[in-house]
Amino acid sequence: MFTSQTSSFQDSLDVEERDECDAEDTAAFSQKSLDCYYAIYLYQGTRSETPVENVAWNKRRADSTASQEDYSLTLVDSSLPSEAEPELRCYISRRLSKGALLGGMGNIATVELSVPEQAVGCYCCLLEQERSPELPDMDGNGYVICFMGGSEKGLNLFRLELDKYVQGLQSSLQTPELQNLETEVRPYLSRWYEESVMHIYRVVQLVQGGISFLLHAALSHTHVEVVRSDARTKADVARFIKAASLQGLSQQEATAASLCKAMSEDTPEDLLIDCSTAPPTLSNTGSNRFCDDWTQAFLNGAERCNPFLLRQILENFKLKAIQDMNSLKRFVRQAEMSHYALFRCCQFLQGCGNGDVLLQNARAEHSELPEACGIVAVLEEFLSERRHAQA
């Protein structure tokens, strides 16, 4: 069901320091900013004979088209310095020649450009246009969109967000002339970093120490409602919860469905975030020691203004939760045949700090196994007694 490994909480935090991001990212974020760029190119097959009427577009095409044996690559717009754009175009041409850019799938690599950072992470995606019945000979026309900033490792952490953001541009790329370049396309491309990378940072900055409540809500499938807030904040929180959740990692649909059902039956009141105050007021909160232990790591990442580091911490948080789930499942299987294994189960739940979430998950996954359900019931009673004893 899940990748099986075990490690201590400190081991998980150590990964944060080893794999957080490249040195270039750390240096950039010491200035609390990151230089980021974009570029968009028209990609046309050689058989395409698309009429272009706009004079300015014709001139730009004549100045910037890179002709190849079976396609042309034309600069539409870019925020790169003038000396760096041809270097990027050469890099894209090499990727296209090798067939390394597939339609709709982002490709991330390190490129060397004439920019202050010299070597930067570069996300490239080919958006192919649908073939028109009126123009059946148009061969593979579309646009190549590039985002540059940070490192290859950092951008890889946000690959899904970048893919989704690029797809959001599809409806605006209807004609080669791009008459909506200044009103729609350019502003959209300019916001790629703020919209695709910075949302986790903004959420941590918003709730500060309350991040443990959001982490627990994500693991326990508690609905989070944001009130008296702008649309972007609501979207940021929703994306954070989705990124921190383990839902979807189950490989068996039946188990995933039973888990969702069990979670919905046990879910407490919605976690409420009221943004009418500063800092926001959080109501109906719930947490545990496991989530509390990760709070400082997130605060440290936010203090360094490093969204790549924050995403790595979030991935480490999820990995540790998955590892603990696997450990509990193994103990439950062993406990069906050994009282000592049951004792080890109790010790593990008491020590991991995430017993409520793990048992909720275990109960759902073993819902059709009577013996395992009995073990989980015993463990739930044990945790309940421990909580009452400590109250």
Side-chain angles (χ1 to χ4, degrees):
M1 294 284 302
F2 297 103
T3 304
S4 179
Q5 293 183 21
T6 56
S7 65
S8 67
F9 170 73
Q10 188 57 50
D11 288 339
S12 299
L13 291 181
D14 289 343
V15 174
E16 161 204 330
E17 301 300 327
R18 293 195 302 266
D19 297 335
E20 55 186 55
C21 52
D22 291 347
E24 292 89 342
D25 288 338
T26 303
F29 281 107
S30 65
Q31 303 172 0
K32 296 194 175 183
S33 65
L34 176 70
D35 289 331
C36 54
Y37 313 91
Y38 70 84
I40 179 171
Y41 297 88
L42 174 66
Y43 171 84
Q44 291 182 299
T46 54
R47 294 202 303 271
S48 299
E49 299 294 339
T50 305
V52 180
E53 300 176 355
N54 186 287
V55 176
W57 169 263
N58 275 327
K59 183 179 186 303
R60 185 163 66 243
R61 179 171 183 174
D63 292 342
S64 61
T65 298
S67 298
Q68 301 292 331
E69 182 178 350
D70 57 354
Y71 69 87
S72 65
L73 195 62
T74 307
L75 175 66
V76 178
D77 193 37
S78 174
S79 63
L80 281 167
S82 58
E83 63 272 17
E85 187 279 319
E87 299 168 344
L88 174 65
R89 189 154 17 112
C90 288
Y91 163 76
I92 299 171
S93 296
R94 291 195 301 270
R95 303 294 291 179
L96 288 169
S97 299
K98 296 178 181 179
L101 287 183
L102 303 177
M105 297 180 61
N107 182 280
I108 298 176
T110 300
V111 296
E112 294 187 2
L113 304 173
S114 297
V115 294
E117 300 86 347
Q118 294 185 342
V120 296
C122 177
Y123 168 92
C124 292
C125 184
L126 172 61
L127 283 182
E128 293 180 313
Q129 292 180 314
E130 294 183 4
R131 300 195 182 192
S132 170
E134 291 78 15
L135 297 171
D137 292 334
M138 293 188 69
D139 182 31
N141 285 0
Y143 291 88
V144 176
I145 289 86
C146 301
F147 298 139
M148 292 137 288
S151 68
E152 177 182 351
K153 186 181 297 182
L155 290 185
N156 263 310
L157 293 169
F158 292 91
R159 179 186 295 272
L160 295 179
E161 284 88 348
L162 292 170
D163 283 342
K164 184 175 181 179
Y165 194 71
V166 166
Q167 294 299 325
L169 193 60
Q170 186 88 55
S171 61
S172 299
L173 305 177
Q174 298 300 321
T175 63
E177 297 89 346
L178 283 190
Q179 296 175 350
N180 60 347
L181 175 63
E182 294 187 5
T183 58
E184 294 181 34
V185 177
R186 182 178 294 157
Y188 189 90
L189 292 171
S190 300
R191 296 193 301 267
W192 76 267
Y193 180 73
E194 284 293 318
E195 298 299 330
S196 300
V197 175
M198 290 295 289
H199 55 284
I200 295 177
Y201 171 78
R202 288 195 294 266
V203 170
V204 178
Q205 283 289 88
L206 176 72
V207 300
Q208 291 293 315
I211 197 68
S212 63
F213 302 135
L214 268 66
L215 294 173
H216 188 264
L219 291 183
S220 60
H221 294 238
T222 299
H223 178 69
V224 178
E225 183 178 359
V226 183
V227 298
R228 299 181 180 89
S229 166
D230 56 70
R232 187 169 80 164
T233 298
K234 293 181 179 180
D236 284 347
V237 172
R239 293 168 71 189
F240 180 91
I241 294 297
K242 183 177 180 180
S245 172
L246 302 184
Q247 188 173 355
L249 295 179
S250 173
Q251 296 177 2
Q252 297 182 16
E253 294 184 4
T255 302
S258 62
L259 176 59
C260 292
K261 180 180 178 181
M263 294 296 188
S264 63
E265 292 174 352
D266 293 344
T267 297
E269 294 182 81
D270 294 351
L271 171 60
L272 185 65
I273 303 178
D274 186 347
C275 295
S276 63
T277 61
T281 302
L282 278 68
S283 307
N284 304 327
T285 57
S287 187
N288 57 28
R289 181 159 45 85
F290 177 78
C291 296
D292 293 342
D293 285 344
W294 284 88
T295 298
Q296 193 58 50
F298 279 94
L299 294 179
N300 291 343
E303 185 177 352
R304 295 166 66 175
C305 302
N306 192 329
F308 300 116
L309 172 57
L310 284 170
R311 184 51 175 264
Q312 185 63 66
I313 294 172
L314 186 60
E315 294 302 318
N316 295 341
F317 166 81
K318 292 170 62 176
L319 176 61
K320 185 67 175 88
I322 291 171
Q323 292 169 346
D324 286 350
M325 285 182 181
N326 287 328
S327 296
L328 178 61
K329 284 190 288 185
R330 186 172 63 254
F331 288 143
V332 168
R333 288 195 300 267
Q334 295 171 352
E336 294 177 9
M337 300 174 289
S338 166
H339 289 293
Y340 177 68
L342 179 60
F343 171 71
R344 290 179 62 195
C345 249
C346 294
Q347 284 190 316
F348 170 74
L349 288 173
Q350 187 176 350
C352 74
N354 200 24
D356 57 334
V357 171
L358 297 183
L359 284 176
Q360 195 177 43
N361 181 81
R363 179 158 33 89
E365 292 199 3
H366 298 96
S367 59
E368 298 180 359
L369 301 173
E371 292 186 8
C373 283
I375 298 296
V376 171
V378 171
L379 294 173
E380 287 177 326
E381 184 178 352
F382 166 77
L383 275 191
S384 178
E385 291 177 353
R386 294 296 301 178
R387 284 194 294 266
H388 291 152
Q390 295 173 358

